[in-house]
Every structure is written in C-alpha cells, then in structure tokens.
Amino acid sequence: MVENLSVALQKYVFTTQGRLNRLRYIKYQLAFGFGLGIVGAVLNFILGLIFGTESFIVTLATGATSVIGFLGGIALIIRRLHDLDRPEWWAIGVFIPIVGFVVALYLLLTPGTVGRNKYGEDPLR
C-alpha cells in the first residue's frame, strides 16, 4: 500500500510535467492538503507523546511536512499553469500579496487551453 501511495504521489502530485484541468486541480489540492494535514497532525501527536511537544524531533517533523506540502502545492500550480499555456515562472505570482489572490482566482476560474498546447495533450480528452 505504501508503494502504491508513493507511485500515486509521484504521478499525480510531485510532477511538473503535463497539464491539470480545473476540477482535477481542485481535487488534488484538497486531497493532498487534507491528507498531509492529517498525516502531519498524527505524526506530531505521536512524536509529541514520545519526545515531548517542545522537542527538536517534533519541530523537524513539522518542518518536513510543511516542505512536502509546499513542494507538492507548487508542482500542482505549475501543472495547472501548463493547462492555461503559461510558463512555470508564473507560479512566483502566488507569493506576491494581492497578485497571489489574482493568480489563485485565475487558476481556479479560467478554462484551460482547448486541444494540445506546448505542454501536452488536453487533459479533458
């Protein structure tokens, strides 16, 4: 099961190749976010019981889950940008105040390119 989860995460979350339509983008962001949040909370709870909540191990586990969430989220944003026929560097916009909100709305509301574009086949076909 762990091997299947690893393959699924590599195929659907931690890749920047290809395109991701709106519905799948929303589904993957929600599933990945909730899943990682639950794993992080359980991990921190268990490690907190074993080592104490103020230990370096708990801090390290929290930092690791945060980095995994950050990288996975950026990979999903890049694939969504590819569906809109936009380059990867547009992902920088999500870190700029106000601009980030506009970019997020753009990712959520704008339909992708119909047919093939330079990033691959239409994910709806």
Side-chain angles (χ1 to χ4, degrees):
M1 181 171 156
V2 172
E3 183 176 313
N4 292 340
L5 178 62
S6 173
V7 170
L9 286 174
Q10 288 175 355
K11 183 177 179 183
Y12 297 112
V13 178
F14 291 106
T15 182
T16 57
Q17 302 300 313
R19 297 167 57 179
L20 193 60
N21 67 30
R22 281 184 292 184
L23 183 59
R24 284 191 180 151
Y25 172 71
I26 293 167
K27 284 182 184 179
Y28 291 173
Q29 284 284 23
L30 289 174
F32 181 62
F34 283 128
L36 192 62
I38 290 169
V39 167
V42 169
L43 183 64
N44 284 340
F45 177 75
I46 292 170
L47 292 175
L49 289 176
I50 295 170
F51 298 104
T53 57
E54 301 295 321
S55 74
F56 176 73
I57 299 295
V58 174
T59 303
L60 190 63
T62 302
T65 55
S66 297
V67 168
I68 290 168
F70 174 78
L71 295 176
I74 292 298
L76 290 172
I77 288 170
I78 288 171
R79 288 178 57 208
R80 179 68 186 123
L81 285 167
H82 285 174
D83 189 42
L84 298 165
D85 209 14
R86 302 288 179 238
E88 296 86 5
W89 64 266
W90 274 46
I92 295 169
V94 298
F95 301 107
I96 302 169
I98 300 170
V99 173
F101 180 73
V102 173
V103 171
L105 286 178
Y106 178 68
L107 294 174
L108 291 172
L109 301 176
T110 307
T113 305
V114 177
R116 183 171 179 76
N117 69 17
K118 64 183 173 186
Y119 298 105
E121 292 294 328
D122 190 340
L124 295 177
R125 294 196 174 179

